[in-house]
Amino acid sequence: MTDTDITTVHRDFIAEDGDRAHRWIRRITSYIEAIVQSRDAQMIPTQTLASDISLVSLPVWLWVEADPKIVGRKATFRPGETNRPLLPIRVQWHGGTVQALGEGVHDLRWTVEGMGRSVDGTTLLTTGPETFENQLLSDKTPSEDQRLITRLPFTFKRQIMTPDRIAGSMLALEKMAQQSWWEFLTALERTLRECLERQHVSLMRDIDKTVTKLGPQDFGQALLDSETLDVMATEMTLGGEGEPGQSYLSELIDKCCNPQRFVRVDPQRYLYVEISRKAGSAVQQRVGDPAIGRKIRKVYADSGGADPEKVIALYREEYPKDGLSYKRLTDALNVIRDPMAAAARVDFQSLDIDYNGHSWYLA
């Protein structure tokens, strides 16, 4: 979605390097960009603006070759290619990613931090009637760090805007942000549902390996039924009272809009690890398993099924800061299976968690 009254100041990198960018990351960063730009636009005091201005949207992301030391396999060369894949770095603009500029020369300060790089500087931008301007940081050949920000050329066209047109442009930004927010939520919901399934199976496997004395025909009996898992996913997506803005995934989207969120991690890894962790915690809580349940069961299994007092002593010796109580021990060793959960044989190996794989929705 675009609005003719809003000047976009960078070429879409897809036209040149889209095949080098991670598909899913490219998509979700476009959602984040729309949300961030809408929020920044709302900070502009439109009531006090002169009509003789341009609304300028600035790039939220810069795409650079990834460093293998930071992102691992995502930075490896693809077969037959000589360039590394591209990953995003967040660009922070002093004054916001949407600004109201009048005719003349403007010094816009920026900061880029991420993927092992930290650069800041000023970009000189000129706007004038019926003109286009491309500005670099300086007349000299830019250094490698400077090319981070000059990679996307800044192109401006003067647009005279009346208050009504300004309001219309702001509304267009808001609508695009709302659409992006829902699409982002939908993408995360699919990942959440798969993570709940995987974490459910993972907990089943852990209990069967360490505690349960079942015959081969019962190995892999489910803890929760599919309807319960569906209810959990719905509550974490839309909120307990049906308020999406108050849900877990809504809070996660807000975290993704934080300029510092992806400084030390790429978006795909962060989101999958975060959602997987939350899903695992939710499954444990649903069946009454303590947060340290896996560690308790491991100590119990290693002890050969010793009496509770011995297990507690062994656990406290290995994890003295956890303060294991008798109640948490019994809860971990007696996780209640939902009677509505049907017995099922599960191919555990095929459901192992691998955030770099291609079987889950973030790929």
Side-chain angles (χ1 to χ4, degrees), residues 192-228:
L192 172 62
R193 289 181 180 276
E194 181 166 339
C195 284
L196 284 170
E197 292 280 359
R198 290 174 179 270
Q199 291 292 354
H200 176 225
V201 170
S202 177
L203 187 58
M204 290 163 49
R205 176 172 55 182
D206 179 75
I207 293 172
D208 286 342
K209 286 173 58 179
T210 57
V211 178
T212 306
K213 306 300 182 183
L214 298 176
Q217 71 279 7
D218 294 323
F219 187 79
Q221 180 183 345
L223 298 171
L224 299 170
D225 66 295
S226 59
E227 290 186 5
T228 299

Side-chain angles (χ1 to χ4, degrees), residues 70-89:
I70 298 176
V71 299
R73 289 192 293 172
K74 288 189 183 67
T76 57
F77 291 98
R78 296 174 183 174
E81 296 187 3
T82 58
N83 295 315
R84 295 187 185 278
L86 301 178
L87 284 175
I89 301 180

Side-chain angles (χ1 to χ4, degrees), residues 2-3 10 97 131 230 246 255 353:
T2 60
D3 188 285
H10 62 286
T97 58
T131 63
D230 181 69
Q246 307 297 322
K255 290 180 180 179
I353 295 174

Side-chain angles (χ1 to χ4, degrees), residues 24 45 51 166 170 188 214-215 230 246 291 313 318 327 330 355:
W24 191 88
S51 60
I166 293 175
M170 295 294 191
L188 295 181
L214 298 176
D230 181 69
Q246 307 297 322
E318 187 169 354
K327 182 182 185 305
T330 55
Y355 68 83

Side-chain angles (χ1 to χ4, degrees), residues 280-298:
S281 176
V283 170
Q284 283 187 281
Q285 184 176 4
R286 196 78 177 198
V287 299
D289 186 34
I292 57 175
R294 292 175 184 269
K295 293 192 293 183
I296 293 173
R297 287 186 290 273
K298 183 178 184 303

Side-chain angles (χ1 to χ4, degrees), residues 20-293:
R20 294 178 57 195
H22 189 283
R23 182 184 60 189
W24 191 88
I25 296 178
R26 181 178 65 191
R27 181 158 57 94
I28 67 103
T29 50
S30 70
Y31 300 153
I32 296 172
E33 179 169 81
I35 296 169
V36 169
Q37 288 182 341
S38 176
R39 292 178 178 179
D40 286 351
Q42 292 174 12
M43 303 302 293
I44 298 176
T46 55
Q47 297 83 356
T48 62
L49 292 178
S51 60
D52 194 16
I53 60 100
S54 297
L55 278 184
V56 179
S57 62
L58 299 161
V60 174
W61 304 99
L62 209 57
W63 292 78
V64 300
E65 290 190 355
D67 184 345
K69 296 179 181 178
I70 298 176
V71 299
R73 289 192 293 172
K74 288 189 183 67
T76 57
F77 291 98
R78 296 174 183 174
E81 296 187 3
T82 58
N83 295 315
R84 295 187 185 278
L86 301 178
L87 284 175
I89 301 180
R90 181 70 180 268
V91 184
Q92 298 182 56
W93 295 92
H94 298 247
T97 58
V98 176
Q99 300 188 25
L101 302 177
E103 181 178 355
V105 179
H106 306 272
D107 291 327
L108 300 185
R109 296 171 56 201
W110 50 263
T111 301
V112 173
E113 186 176 9
M115 298 296 160
R117 308 167 187 258
S118 181
V119 191
D120 55 56
T122 301
T123 296
L124 182 66
L125 304 173
T126 303
T127 61
E130 303 303 327
T131 63
F132 286 87
E133 297 277 350
N134 287 329
Q135 297 288 339
L136 295 178
L137 292 174
S138 67
D139 294 333
K140 300 178 181 179
T141 302
S143 66
E144 176 63 26
D145 285 342
Q146 287 175 321
R147 279 197 295 271
L148 281 175
I149 200 66
T150 59
R151 176 182 177 80
L152 301 173
F154 303 113
T155 305
F156 292 81
K157 182 178 181 180
R158 176 68 188 282
Q159 294 180 328
I160 307 302
M161 301 185 69
T162 64
D164 289 342
R165 290 175 66 190
I166 293 175
S169 296
M170 295 294 191
L171 181 60
L173 284 172
E174 182 180 354
K175 288 182 177 179
M176 182 163 60
Q178 290 175 351
Q179 177 182 339
S180 296
W181 191 91
W182 280 106
E183 290 178 356
F184 196 5
L185 186 75
T186 300
L188 295 181
E189 180 188 14
R190 290 195 295 267
T191 300
L192 172 62
R193 289 181 180 276
E194 181 166 339
C195 284
L196 284 170
E197 292 280 359
R198 290 174 179 270
Q199 291 292 354
H200 176 225
V201 170
S202 177
L203 187 58
M204 290 163 49
R205 176 172 55 182
D206 179 75
I207 293 172
D208 286 342
K209 286 173 58 179
T210 57
V211 178
T212 306
K213 306 300 182 183
L214 298 176
Q217 71 279 7
D218 294 323
F219 187 79
Q221 180 183 345
L223 298 171
L224 299 170
D225 66 295
S226 59
E227 290 186 5
T228 299
L229 291 172
D230 181 69
V231 169
M232 292 171 62
T234 300
E235 290 178 349
M236 296 171 72
T237 301
L238 300 179
E241 301 298 328
E243 298 180 357
Q246 307 297 322
S247 69
Y248 160 69
L249 289 186
S250 173
E251 294 176 355
L252 186 58
I253 290 176
D254 285 340
K255 290 180 180 179
C256 290
C257 293
N258 185 325
Q260 301 296 319
R261 178 55 56 194
F262 304 119
V263 169
R264 296 181 178 85
V265 64
D266 71 84
Q268 184 193 31
R269 178 179 174 84
Y270 168 77
L271 285 168
Y272 187 74
V273 171
E274 167 63 21
I275 293 174
S276 182
R277 179 197 62 79
K278 184 67 174 181
S281 176
V283 170
Q284 283 187 281
Q285 184 176 4
R286 196 78 177 198
V287 299
D289 186 34
I292 57 175

